[in-house]
Amino acid sequence: MKTIINKFLLLVTLFAGAASLHSCSDPDGIIEDIAYGREFSPLNFTHTLSNNVNVTFSWTVMAGIADYTLTLSYADGEGGVYDQVDLIAPLDGDGNTVKTMEYSFRELPGNREWIAELVAVSQRAGVADSKPAACAFATGVENLFLNDGKMGDGDVTATTAMLRWVAGSNVTHLDVTPDVGLIKLTSAQIAAGEYELTGLVTGTSYTVGLLRDEAVRGTISFVASDKIDVDVVDKGATRITLAWGADRQVTSLVLTGGDDERNVTLTDAEVAAHTYTFEGLKARTEYSISVYIAGVESGSLVVTTLGQSSLWDFTTGWQPVSWETDQTIDGLTILAASGKNVEIREDADYGCNYLDLRGKSTVKEGEAPSQRAVQFSVVGEGVIAIDCYANGAGRNFYAHVDALGKSFGPVEAPTADNRGKVYIPCPGIPASAKVSIWTDATINHIYSIGWYEGAEAPGQNATPLDAPVVTADPASVTKGDNTGVTFSWAAVPNAATYTYRLALTTLNGEAEEVVRLSETVSATRMTVPAETVARLKPGTYTISVTAAAVSDYLYKPSPAGTAALTVADTKLAAPAVKVTPAKVTRGDQTEVTASWDAVDGAASYDVSFNGGASENVTGTSYTIAAATVAGLAAGEYAISVVANPADASAQASDAGTARLTVVEASGPSGDNFAWDFSSSAFSDLIARLTAAGSAGLTDLDETIDGLRILSGGSSFRGGTSSGVSYIQTGGKGTASVRSFSFTASASGKLKVVASNTGSGAATDGRSVTVQIGDDAAGAQSKEAGSGSGEPTTCEFDIAVTGETTVYVYSTINGLRFYSIEYVSDGGSGGGDAGTDYTMTLSATAGVLSSNITGLPTSWAAGDSTWTATDDTGTSAITFTGNIYYSTSDTKNIVWYFNKGKAETHVAASDMGKIRKITINPNSARKPELLTCTYGTSATVLAATEPTGTNSSTITFDFAAAGVDASDFRIGFSDTSTNIEIGKVVIEYTR
């Protein structure tokens, strides 16, 4: 029974071993009897082939048999033994014979057929060696070059190639064709497995053989060329456009993706054009593209096509029209508005049409817009692309999706000089939805609207081109010069065209005409003809130039580069005259000096006083003798200065004037003034301003009841509305342009009633500004009313120590002024009244104002102590708190309230009587989060500013609230927003 089992097990084992040999075999066949006269053939005799020419054999070591003979013979050609080896099974670490053996033949001749035979050598008397176990195999083409016989990234340049093979291989030469021939390798090169070919001919296709004497052990091919960079310069839902350098002779392209496969041989024309477009592709599909030069792969990339799109281009096919009812054209619904219709309009600058929504959209929170918007239907998510510009900053687009019940955005529109596309991604849209595009302010130039399915729109991820650097030659001319002016700019990398925009005002006699020059060109210059320059009105003209690529897929249009042309008037500028002192008391023996800055082009100045004969001076000052001043009666006296040109072709300037006021001696109560422009004192001036219309009066310089009204060459206008008269500044002013001024001899309170000149709700920051003396940097500003029907009283505390000129003017833009009132508080008093002080705390570029000592530069958990003096340096206050200032030279922060820090605060006491604390945050950073308290019970003092959030200032007015306090504490405990304070003004009596 045991013999039968052993026979059966042996049969199964041999069968399994034979089956596992693949092409190897055991010739013993079926065992019929346990008695045998030879050893069994080796079991599990297999082979593994590597690199096509290296073979490793393995087998199971049989019990009692440690010696084997392995014979390798050719099986093709004339046959014959290649090699024969006798092998003995080694011992393992425990002294036992190993269970398996291996043996390798390396670097066999390639492309040959082989037979390997393994014989178990008998060690027992009377028992013969086994029959051979056999394996048949074939060697292939050997290639010792790395990377499966392909050049690695960066291994090939236009003139060199780094060849790499298996280090230490048995090789002797390289065979390089064409033209190079055999290269004998050194032992170091063979060991390293590297050799660099140099001096190659760019664009040539080379083949290199790696040899062992005459046997080829590897081949590789390449083109001598820098690795080609292929750019996707445009793509859509069904096309991909490629481009490459002009020095690259691409000959074929292979595209695969989806169910598409294309092998394209380029025509001579396509090779010369260095570009190719694949058409008829599938939307939103990934494609792999390989680039070949002379049949050798020289580059590759992966590109995904865009989704399907809809484009509404208002520049072509849309004619000028005005709609007061909703319209649907080509699938786009335009939500119009009656009274101020939505329009298609002509663009004089770009020579095309555009959509003008004529105002911000009408929309309720969470709902779709109902007016001044556009709508269209979509299927699935996508991206909106809008070509546009707005006439101001901070104006935004939104996209409302009805199926989601929400809007995406805001996305800010570019301004006029930077027209371009904005993108609004709309992810997560279900299968069907309606998208509405709306705005939160007027964006009145919309050139096109595109919808692109998927997650990408053309140009969405593009890089903006650099802005052109523009120069003007010449940069300045004089009125009437008959010379051309050339604007030029350096070529911008990757730009194909440039669009310039230039608006000029020419004169035909007294009539003015606006000439607009706008064109898209490939050149890098444009010239304004001499005949046009000769007719230019004096002023400054600015050209804007933007650069654009062939398509906006890779590169967005650049920001605008600009350059200015100045056209100077032939008339010299009027001197800006200042009188010191501007006010004297009758009978005072005081010299009065009139002074002015030098006028460009002036050789001398004619000065006249009180209408007398003019006196010519070459300096920039003129003194009125003290005896002359002492003899003046109370009243006002004009000093006028005319600049005379050094060049005879120029004209003398208009007179610059200033006023000297002589007053009767007054008591200690100071001056009280009230100027109501509806009063009879101003009726003549109001009538003249009204008659001048929108042009206004530019030569106004007169004083009425002590109030000087100076136009300074710019316009004042005037009028009466609902019985109330006003004087309107035609734009922003300064102390010498569009200003009101008077002389104050003592501190007091100034009230100015003014309003915005329009009827809109936004003030756009227009403010009444008050300047004391020459301190323009320390001027105070408060926003005027929101419309002409809503005048606002702006109050200012004026601190002076002697006779000082106070100037009132508008900033940002023009305002209507209705009245100005000044009530003196009699100046500094004595005794129990105390002295009024003003303390200004500030920091500029990381440097504190000089009156502050010891303020920390970083936050501390415990209170710090520091001091500051008032603006005169005579009164000192000690402060405590855990605020600090910033030493950054890019910031101007004197008090830094740090978010997240416990009870960040500042406090002071023993101040006498606090009148007012005015805090000016930088960048409107939520000052309403600050809280002011006083007294032992920490009573809260409400702020008089801001009236809403993000005000430019916050004021704690103790005096107006009737609070008599000598201490204060300003606290802050917000955890999300820092408060950065640029300036603090503290007014107190002590």
Side-chain angles (χ1 to χ4, degrees), residues 34 155 393 421 459 660 753 860-861 914:
I34 194 63
D155 282 348
K421 289 183 179 179
L660 169 65
V753 179
I914 304 172

Side-chain angles (χ1 to χ4, degrees), residues 676-679 682 686 719-727 817-819:
D676 185 347
F677 299 148
S678 295
S679 69
F682 292 90
I686 295 297
T720 301
S721 176
S722 301
V724 179
S725 298
Y726 58 84
I727 297 175
F817 290 83
Y818 300 90
S819 66

Side-chain angles (χ1 to χ4, degrees), residues 115-251:
I115 182 74
E117 295 178 315
L118 181 66
V119 173
V121 179
S122 177
Q123 297 171 334
R124 291 179 287 186
V127 179
D129 296 343
S130 74
K131 293 183 179 180
C135 279
F137 65 96
T139 53
V141 176
E142 182 181 21
N143 202 342
L144 293 178
F145 283 113
L146 301 183
N147 197 29
D148 295 328
K150 295 181 180 179
M151 298 297 289
D153 291 340
D155 282 348
V156 180
T157 71
T159 58
T160 67
M162 178 61 75
L163 303 172
R164 306 179 194 274
W165 60 88
V166 177
S169 298
N170 185 7
V171 293
T172 58
H173 295 79
L174 296 172
D175 185 12
V176 184
T177 57
D179 301 331
V180 179
L182 285 175
I183 299 173
K184 182 174 178 58
L185 298 173
T186 66
S187 58
Q189 292 165 343
I190 294 171
E194 290 184 351
Y195 184 89
E196 184 177 26
L197 293 171
T198 60
L200 303 179
V201 178
T202 302
T204 301
S205 179
Y206 290 90
T207 298
V208 180
L210 182 63
L211 307 181
R212 184 186 64 193
D213 297 325
E214 294 182 356
V216 178
R217 305 207 61 198
T219 58
I220 196 167
S221 297
F222 60 89
V223 174
S225 166
D226 293 326
K227 191 70 174 180
I228 187 167
D229 291 325
V230 181
D231 291 326
V232 179
V233 296
D234 199 8
K235 71 176 182 178
T238 61
R239 73 184 188 286
I240 297 172
T241 299
L242 306 178
W244 49 88
D247 58 339
R248 303 290 188 263
Q249 299 299 307
V250 174
T251 55

Side-chain angles (χ1 to χ4, degrees), residues 574-579 639 654-659 677 682 685 689 697-704 706-717 727-742 805-810 817 820:
V577 185
K578 179 174 67 174
V579 173
I639 301 173
D654 293 330
T657 61
R659 299 275 177 170
F677 299 148
F682 292 90
L685 174 59
L689 289 170
L697 299 178
T698 60
D699 57 352
L700 194 63
D701 185 4
E702 56 188 85
T703 302
I704 301 175
L707 181 69
R708 184 186 184 191
I709 306 169
L710 175 65
S711 60
S714 298
S715 66
F716 269 118
R717 306 170 191 169
I727 297 175
Q728 178 175 325
T729 55
K732 64 182 179 181
T734 65
S736 59
V737 175
R738 299 191 184 102
S739 68
F740 306 91
S741 61
F742 63 93
T805 301
V806 178
Y807 299 94
V808 180
Y809 48 86
S810 61
F817 290 83
I820 300 174

Side-chain angles (χ1 to χ4, degrees), residues 1 59 111 181 254 294 367 385 390 402 408 465 470 585 587 597 621 632 664 727 764 795 849 881 901:
M1 186 67 180
W59 61 91
N111 287 331
V254 174
E367 297 182 6
D402 63 349
F408 295 96
L465 294 173
V470 189
T585 301
D597 291 335
S621 66
L632 297 174
E664 298 288 354
I727 297 175
D764 62 15
E795 297 189 9
S849 54
K901 305 299 185 182

